[in-house]
């Protein structure tokens, strides 16, 4: 019998511009850029140079600390640029794609017959092992960790997030193969949402335990799911895997080739036709034709709560598909907003958590249009219980944030920092009246703890 976990805290933010469950063609560039920053905790060492020829599956860079962890090129072609920033930090390795693609053949494998060590060896050889993350620290894991369990969340419920149940249609065999492979390493859990549109598949996966999560956002956060199934204690490690990465693994074993194709949602109130499109990791997407306007918009690589603002050097409306990215969202910047009388107006069309506006009387069925303004400045932290209302985890969120700010490692450990990742505090950051950058604070705390324990 499938286990059901009911969550009683959280917040669903319904925004305008949800992607329709249909696919569109979108303009993609010929240059593909793999970005080390997509793999948190990895110190990259580039193993190619400009002008080198590579095949899809060849390593572009490795992890300095663990040289066996490679990161595969998404395409075959010529290395065009090794982009570096301050202090020669590697920002991306860019490959000009060939018209006819060539792949490294790693050989088909029957995941059911492999041992855990053989699965790890295959993923390392193909440059896919780095797509596995871990708790604690919420970083890309390394081959020396021994996970007590592996968690995959097939539920995406952040505002405007892509629907994995739509993405996986037609790829069920690859997903099952990927789950089977992971199950050879450790017990594997797959979290799904209540009322799944494809229960005959996700609800009946083999070689794993399927857990149904019923509740508001962030029920889909893998950290929340870990907290309710098998919490992480000091000295323990669990692996967490994005469901699209499971598809990458399945394709490797079923075809013997590295295929980093993923389906992304193009969403947001400033997109004329919100829908889905297919692109390889590293693809450069030209968003200009898809937008209702070109100025006064915020393009976000990811969803509005956890994504990163677009910082492409090529064009303000060109984005590179990230390794763990399932959506591109476009919302108003808000710098042209001109509100008469400001906060004193009733605001029937604006979203409010605390019912400060009258919009809760007549909720918008098609979603609210929110812009990128913070609407206030950073101020002293107020212990108001705001975080607890939207954080469905067995931790004291406000006290944990205070301990991180104070750099009190003992308190951080006692208050459950080993269980959290920055995205778990995305909703708390949204409702925070103190306007603190909670996700940044949590990341700094995790990095501090990791450095202390190394």
């Amino acid at each position: 019998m499938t286990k059901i976990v009911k969550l009683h805290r959280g917040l669903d933010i319904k925004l305008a511009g949800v992607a329709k469950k249909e696919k569109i063609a979108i303009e993609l560039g010929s240059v593909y850029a793999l970005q080390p920053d997509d793999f948190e905790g990895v110190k990259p060492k580039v193993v190619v140079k400009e002008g080198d020829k590579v095949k899809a599956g060849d390593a572009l860079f490795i992890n300095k600390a663990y040289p066996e962890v490679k990161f595969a090129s998404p395409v075959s072609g010529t290395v065009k640029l090794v982009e570096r920033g301050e202090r020669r930090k590697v920002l991306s390795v860019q490959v000009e794609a060939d018209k006819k693609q060539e792949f490294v053949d790693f050989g088909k494998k029957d995941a059911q017959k492999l041992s855990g060590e053989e699965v790890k060896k295959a993923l390392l050889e193909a440059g896919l092992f780095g797509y596995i993350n871990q708790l604690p620290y919420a970083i890309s894991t390394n081959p020396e960790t021994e996970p007590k369990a592996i968690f995959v969340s097939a539920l995406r419920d952040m505002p405007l997030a892509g629907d994995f149940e739509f993405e996986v249609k037609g790829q069920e065999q690859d997903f099952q193969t990927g789950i089977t492979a992971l199950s050879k390493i450790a017990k594997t859990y797959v979290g799904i949402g209540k009322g799944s549109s494809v229960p005959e598949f996700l609800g009946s996966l083999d070689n794993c335990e399927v857990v149904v999560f019923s509740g508001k956002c962030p029920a889909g956060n893998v950290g929340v799911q870990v907290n309710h199934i098998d919490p992480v204690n000091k000295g323990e490690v669990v692996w967490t895997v994005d469901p699209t990465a499971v598809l990458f693994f399945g394709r490797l074993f079923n075809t013997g080739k590295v295929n980093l194709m993923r389906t992304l949602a193009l969403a947001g109130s400033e997109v004329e036709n919100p829908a889905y499109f297919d692109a390889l990791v590293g693809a450069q997407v030209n968003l200009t034709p898809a937008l209702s306007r070109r100025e006064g918009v915020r393009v976000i690589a990811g969803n509005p709560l956890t994504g990163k603002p677009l910082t492409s050097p090529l064009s303000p409306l060109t984005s590179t598909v990230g390794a763990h990215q399932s959506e591109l969202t476009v919302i108003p910047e808000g710098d042209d907003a001109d509100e008469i009388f400001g906060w004193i107006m009733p605001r029937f069309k604006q979203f409010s958590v605390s019912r400060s506006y009258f919009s809760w009387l007549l909720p918008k069925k098609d979603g609210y249009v929110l812009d990128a303004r913070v609407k206030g400045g950073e101020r002293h932290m107020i212990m108001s219980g705001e975080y607890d209302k939207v954080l469905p985890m067995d931790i004291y969120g406000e006290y944990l944030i205070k301990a991180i700010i104070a750099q009190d490692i003992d308190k951080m450990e006692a208050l459950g920092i080993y269980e959290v990742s920055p995205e778990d505090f995305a909703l708390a950051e949204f409702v925070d009246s103190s306007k603190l950058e909670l996700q940044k604070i949590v990341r700094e705390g995790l990095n501090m703890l990791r450095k202390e324990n190394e």
Side-chain angles (χ1 to χ4, degrees):
M1 184 176 178
T2 303
K3 181 179 179 180
I4 298 178
V5 176
K6 294 183 179 180
L7 304 180
H8 302 287
R9 289 177 287 175
L11 175 67
D12 289 330
I13 306 171
K14 190 174 182 180
L15 299 185
V18 175
K20 301 173 186 175
K21 293 186 179 181
E22 60 186 35
K23 289 189 179 180
I24 58 173
I26 198 162
E27 183 181 336
L28 301 175
S30 61
V31 176
Y32 291 75
L34 197 65
Q35 303 170 109
D37 279 353
D38 287 342
F39 306 95
E40 190 68 47
V42 169
K43 295 181 179 179
K45 178 182 179 181
V46 180
V47 293
V48 293
K49 59 182 182 294
E50 294 174 14
D52 283 356
K53 295 288 290 184
V54 295
K55 294 181 180 180
D58 279 332
L60 296 181
F61 57 87
I62 61 175
N63 187 348
K64 278 184 182 179
Y66 301 92
E68 64 271 33
V69 180
K70 309 170 187 177
F71 295 86
S73 173
V75 294
S76 67
T78 304
V79 178
K80 181 181 180 181
L81 176 67
V82 178
E83 182 187 10
R84 295 183 183 271
E86 294 182 5
R87 302 179 69 180
R88 293 189 56 77
K89 177 184 177 181
V90 180
L91 302 179
S92 69
V93 181
Q94 301 179 15
V95 179
E96 180 85 40
D98 293 331
K99 291 184 178 179
K100 184 179 180 181
Q101 288 294 293
E102 297 182 72
F103 296 82
V104 178
D105 188 358
F106 295 101
K108 297 180 182 180
K109 297 178 177 66
D110 185 350
Q112 190 67 54
K113 297 179 180 179
L114 298 178
S115 66
E117 285 302 315
E118 289 172 329
V119 169
K120 288 171 67 173
K121 182 179 178 181
L123 295 177
L124 287 166
E125 183 183 12
L128 296 181
F129 188 85
Y131 285 81
I132 301 174
N133 291 332
Q134 70 166 63
L135 288 177
Y137 311 131
I139 58 173
S140 180
T141 196
N142 67 73
E144 295 182 3
T145 58
E146 297 183 2
K148 67 171 182 174
I150 300 174
F151 292 82
V152 179
S153 174
L155 170 62
R156 296 181 182 141
D157 59 358
M158 285 288 177
L160 302 179
D163 186 347
F164 179 70
E165 293 172 2
F166 177 76
E167 178 182 353
V168 77
K169 287 181 179 178
Q171 305 182 81
E172 290 86 354
Q173 184 179 355
D174 289 334
F175 191 76
Q176 178 62 77
T177 298
I179 291 295
T180 299
L182 291 173
S183 71
K184 299 296 180 176
I185 299 173
K187 182 171 183 178
T188 301
Y189 296 91
V190 177
I192 65 174
K194 188 176 182 181
S196 172
S197 60
V198 280
E200 65 278 8
F201 168 59
L202 289 179
S204 58
L205 287 164
D206 296 326
N207 304 310
C208 66
E209 183 175 333
V210 177
V211 182
V212 176
F213 284 84
S214 173
K216 298 179 180 179
C217 175
N221 281 15
V222 70
V224 172
Q225 298 182 6
V226 171
N227 181 264
H228 286 272
I229 297 174
D230 192 2
V232 182
N233 299 309
K234 187 175 182 179
E236 298 177 335
V237 173
V238 300
W239 287 358
T240 64
V241 186
D242 182 89
T244 304
V246 177
L247 289 175
F248 297 165
F249 302 163
R251 292 170 193 158
L252 172 67
F253 292 112
N254 288 337
T255 67
K257 300 175 182 178
V258 170
N259 182 349
L260 301 182
M261 185 67 71
R262 62 184 308 150
T263 299
L264 295 97
L266 179 58
S269 58
E270 303 307 304
V271 178
E272 287 190 345
N273 180 29
Y276 290 80
F277 67 95
D278 291 333
L280 289 167
V281 169
Q284 293 174 351
V285 183
N286 181 11
L287 296 173
T288 304
L291 304 185
S292 58
R293 56 172 171 158
R294 300 186 181 185
E295 297 180 354
V297 296
R298 172 74 63 91
V299 181
I300 303 167
N303 67 73
L305 292 188
T306 65
K308 298 178 181 179
L310 181 66
T311 55
S312 170
L314 301 176
S315 163
L317 296 178
T318 300
S319 178
T320 300
V321 175
H324 300 287
Q325 183 182 337
S326 58
E327 57 276 321
L328 272 168
T329 54
V330 189
I331 62 175
E333 185 67 48
D335 52 5
D336 57 350
D338 186 13
E339 298 175 317
I340 187 170
F341 297 121
W343 58 268
I344 204 169
M345 296 296 288
R347 300 190 184 191
F348 289 103
K349 297 181 180 180
Q350 293 197 28
F351 180 79
S352 173
V353 177
S354 60
R355 294 188 174 183
S356 299
Y357 310 148
F358 286 87
S359 53
W360 64 273
L361 294 170
L362 299 169
K364 291 178 66 64
K365 294 181 180 180
D366 55 350
Y368 296 91
V369 176
L370 294 188
D371 56 43
R373 289 177 295 163
V374 179
K375 295 184 178 179
E378 185 174 320
R379 61 202 70 152
H380 293 296
M381 186 175 178
I382 304 168
M383 302 297 285
S384 61
E386 290 174 312
Y387 303 172
D388 294 337
K389 295 176 182 178
V390 297
L391 187 62
M393 301 176 72
D394 189 21
I395 61 173
Y396 294 104
E398 291 177 339
Y399 289 96
L400 176 57
I401 293 295
K402 288 183 68 176
I404 296 173
I405 293 173
Q407 299 186 6
D408 189 329
I409 290 178
D410 290 338
K411 281 190 177 180
M412 287 159 56
E413 291 181 335
L415 290 167
I417 194 170
Y418 289 112
E419 300 181 48
V420 303
S421 60
E423 68 173 10
D424 296 328
F425 281 79
L427 275 171
E429 183 176 301
F430 178 79
V431 304
D432 184 18
S433 57
S434 299
K435 309 297 180 182
L436 299 177
E437 296 183 70
L438 299 184
Q439 294 180 79
K440 181 180 178 181
I441 291 171
V442 172
R443 170 47 61 198
E444 291 171 350
L446 291 169
N447 291 344
M448 182 197 314
L449 193 65
R450 179 160 59 99
K451 185 177 181 180
E452 182 74 15
N453 290 335
E454 283 180 349

